């Protein structure tokens, strides 16, 4: 029943389009931490409905542009997914995650009614315009899914803008750039070129006058990072010599296969394709399939693999920013803080806590991002390589207007202002983070080896356990303690106490039907043993699946 405004849903058109994108009755979809994510071939109806939902979100927010990214990140090539981006370039507001789930699961018969009801309860003024910008990664199912999304937009009469095959962070950038265009907070040109220009210009300024940067190997996970980094190299020219590897975006099955940031982090090893390529001490880094995660690593003189993960990036970057703020004469005016999750290596937390405030929050970008906003400059990174740095609006203004009193202060201030331009503040961005790391290394004259020696990682182990119902696992204290099943937490603690530097926690995964166990200890063998013993506890308590014993590593 339409109330005051008389613009109604174009039900006939929607019904006509919806008939081309029927939902299979047996499927259930859920908008989780990373949006909808499952096999690409079953997502057609979801994309159609997401198109409509994105348009409604835009109308609800007075015609602001909403972003849609079609990707399944580091998942295997046959998977795909979709997530929405809110107007400031941030993740979709949590309440709408539920609306997305409801709409995606309505049966074909109920769909229009559910939609009508949603428009009413969410008080959406249908007379408002709706604008949506969308992109996709290189997955083979992407093209068809884009078509389904376009049909959703067409069905409701939304204005769509195709960002083409691009990275998740570029879609976030575009959303923010479009919505801030012509305002005082203008974020940049609202185009891919604008993104490259903004970032490369800041990078050039930041490394000018520094020693030539040695060659960097970039593993693109055979994904969208490949064309995007390639374009960026044209903007960077000589300033950053890059060798691209794993760029086979058209080879079936290659995406994320034995390469990429997730492979490196979870296997704690070099992508096989890089064997023999790397000289001792040479830096290499891996992106994930949609280029929002970054892992650095190198091979040392003895031939051992050393990983520089999200925690090491946070340590490097946070310490650099604190130094710059001090040098700029802003130490007491700009509060720099770090946000991590329970997965952060204990040694990184110790290193950082000795230098600046550190907060621990539950897993998932939205939690980190939100907590980082509480600082004047908030550095957040997950150990898995997703992260960025946020400068609060008042800090940006302060940096722009602060009057330095010495040439040294002026230089530091200039660097800070260039960092504001270099860093993609909407979301973790492998490309932007990579340039940031390179800037810090250039300023500190650090090699990868010196960077790595900021602190030594405690050996750690991740194990997953298949249980009949992971929802019985409930946590508190930023996922560091289990409150349910009752009685399990004291047992975990009792076990952990037996190991030197022992720490372990258990949490249900947000993306897979498993429970994850993390452990760390001073010795590798002890970290492993602790993980397996805690996994055994979980298994015994929760009746693990006998066919899938806790032997698999994440
Ligand atoms: C999602 C999250 C990532 C988190 C991961 C944990 C976003 C955009 N991504 O990929 O931040 O680390 O889930 O997965 O929030 P898990 O719950 O299966 O351990
Ligand atoms: Mg990703």
């Amino acid at each position: 029943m339409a109330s005051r405004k008389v613009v109604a849903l174009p039900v006939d058109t929607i019904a006509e389009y919806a008939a081309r994108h029927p939902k299979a009755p047996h499927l259930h979809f859920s908008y989780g931490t990373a949006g909808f994510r499952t096999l690409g071939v079953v997502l057609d109806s979801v994309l159609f409905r997401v198109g409509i939902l994105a348009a409604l979100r835009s109308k609800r927010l007075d015609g602001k542009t909403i972003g849609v990214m079609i990707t399944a990140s580091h998942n295997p090539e046959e998977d795909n997914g979709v997530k929405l981006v809110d107007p400031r370039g941030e993740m979709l507001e949590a309440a709408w995650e539920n609306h997305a789930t409801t709409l995606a699961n309505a049966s074909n018969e109920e769909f229009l009614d559910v939609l009508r009801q949603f428009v009413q309860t969410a008080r959406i003024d249908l007379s408002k315009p709706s604008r949506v910008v969308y992109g996709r990664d290189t997955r083979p199912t992407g093209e068809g899914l884009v078509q389904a999304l376009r049909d959703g937009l067409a069905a409701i009469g939304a204005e769509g803008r195709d960002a083409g095959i691009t990275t998740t962070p570029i879609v976030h950038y575009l959303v923010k750039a479009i919505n801030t265009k012509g305002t005082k907070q203008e974020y940049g040109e609202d185009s891919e070129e604008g993104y490259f220009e903004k970032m490369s210009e800041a990078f050039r300024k930041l490394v000018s006058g520094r020693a030539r940067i040695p060659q960097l190997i970039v593993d693109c996970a055979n994904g969208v990072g490949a064309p995007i980094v390639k374009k960026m190299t044209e903007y960077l020219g000589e300033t950053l010599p890059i060798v691209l590897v794993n760029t086979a975006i058209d080879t079936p099955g290659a995406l994320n296969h034995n390469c990429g940031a997730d492979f490196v982090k979870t296997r704690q090893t070099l992508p096989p394709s890089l064997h023999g390529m790397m000289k001792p001490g040479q830096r290499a880094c891996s992106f994930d399939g949609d280029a929002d995660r970054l892992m650095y690593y190198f091979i040392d003189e003895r031939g051992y693999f050393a990983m520089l993960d999200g925690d090491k990036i946070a340590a490097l970057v946070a310490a650099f920013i604190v130094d710059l703020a001090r040098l700029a004469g802003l130490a007491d005016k700009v509060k720099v803080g770090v946000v991590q999750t329970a997965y952060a290596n204990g040694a990184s937390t110790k290193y950082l806590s000795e230098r600046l405030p550190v907060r621990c929050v539950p897993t998932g970008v939205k939690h980190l991002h939100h907590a980082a906003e509480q600082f004047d400059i908030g550095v957040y990174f997950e150990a898995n390589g997703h992260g960025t740095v946020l400068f609060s609006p008042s800090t940006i203004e302060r940096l722009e207007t602060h009057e330095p009193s010495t040439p040294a202060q002026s230089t530091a201030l200039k660097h800070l202002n260039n960092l504001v331009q270099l860093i993609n503040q909407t979301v973790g961005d492998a490309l932007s983070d990579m340039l940031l790391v390179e800037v810090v290394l250039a300023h500190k004259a650090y090699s990868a080896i010196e960077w790595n020696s900021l602190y030594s990682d405690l050996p750690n182990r991740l194990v997953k356990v298949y249980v009949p119902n992971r929802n019985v696992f409930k946590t508190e204290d930023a996922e560091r303690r289990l409150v349910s099943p009752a009685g399990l937490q004291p047992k975990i603690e009792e076990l952990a106490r037996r190991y030197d530097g022992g720490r372990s926690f258990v949490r249900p995964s947000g993306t897979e039907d498993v429970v994850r166990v993390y452990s760390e200890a001073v010795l590798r063998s002890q970290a492993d043993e602790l993980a397996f013993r805690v996994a055994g506890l979980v298994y015994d308590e929760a009746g693990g699946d006998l066919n899938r014993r806790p032997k698999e590593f994440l």
Side-chain angles (χ1 to χ4, degrees), residues 105-306:
N105 289 308
S107 70
N108 296 314
E109 296 72 33
E110 292 163 349
F111 178 60
L112 275 174
D113 282 341
V114 172
L115 193 60
R116 236 188 247 120
Q117 178 141 35
F118 171 56
V119 167
Q120 216 171 65
T121 48
R123 296 196 313 277
I124 294 166
D125 179 350
L126 294 169
S127 69
K128 299 279 182 183
S130 49
R131 304 182 179 96
V132 177
V133 58
Y134 54 90
R136 69 170 177 102
D137 69 14
T138 53
R139 282 162 207 274
T141 48
E143 200 175 334
L145 295 178
V146 162
Q147 194 46 55
L149 177 81
R150 279 197 202 111
D151 278 1
L153 298 177
I156 195 159
E159 195 184 304
R161 173 172 157 184
D162 188 358
I165 295 182
T166 194
T167 68
T168 296
I170 288 181
V171 169
H172 285 255
Y173 167 90
L174 287 174
V175 170
K176 184 158 180 168
I178 293 168
N179 287 314
T180 55
K181 206 170 174 170
T183 71
K184 233 181 90 205
Q185 288 81 33
E186 193 159 296
Y187 195 56
E189 264 310 303
D190 63 330
S191 64
E192 209 170 79
E193 295 73 42
Y195 167 91
F196 291 130
E197 263 158 26
K198 177 180 173 176
M199 225 176 257
S200 59
E201 196 187 317
F203 181 78
R204 279 171 185 282
K205 287 184 186 160
L206 280 158
V207 299
S208 105
R210 306 277 149 184
R212 235 187 103 257
I213 299 179
Q215 189 180 67
L216 170 68
I217 297 173
V218 182
D219 157 25
C220 302
N222 294 316
V224 67
I228 294 297
V229 181
K230 186 156 191 313
K231 282 187 211 163
M232 184 57 121
T233 57
E234 288 156 24
Y235 289 80
L236 294 170
E238 303 274 277
T239 53
L240 181 60
I242 288 178
V243 178
L244 292 179
V245 291
N246 295 324
T247 58
I249 57 172
D250 296 319
T251 305
L255 177 67
N256 296 324
H257 183 66
N258 285 342
C259 59
D262 194 60
F263 174 88
V264 171
K265 176 66 180 166
T266 56
R267 307 281 183 95
Q268 308 194 7
T269 184
L270 202 63
S273 47
L274 269 69
H275 279 294
M277 261 189 92
M278 292 169 66
K279 297 189 211 81
Q282 182 176 14
R283 295 142 17 270
C285 63
S286 288
F287 287 20
D288 70 339
D290 63 335
D292 65 351
R293 287 193 196 179
L294 179 69
M295 280 289 142
Y296 265 75
Y297 42 92
F298 64 97
I299 302 294
D300 71 13
E301 293 291 343
R302 295 166 308 159
Y304 288 116
F305 170 81

Side-chain angles (χ1 to χ4, degrees), residues 23-24 27-31 36 38 42-43 45-46 100-102 104-105:
K23 176 189 174 288
L27 294 176
H28 181 85
F29 304 101
S30 164
Y31 195 104
F36 292 109
T38 181
V42 304
L43 277 166
S45 65
V46 173
T101 300
T102 309
N105 289 308

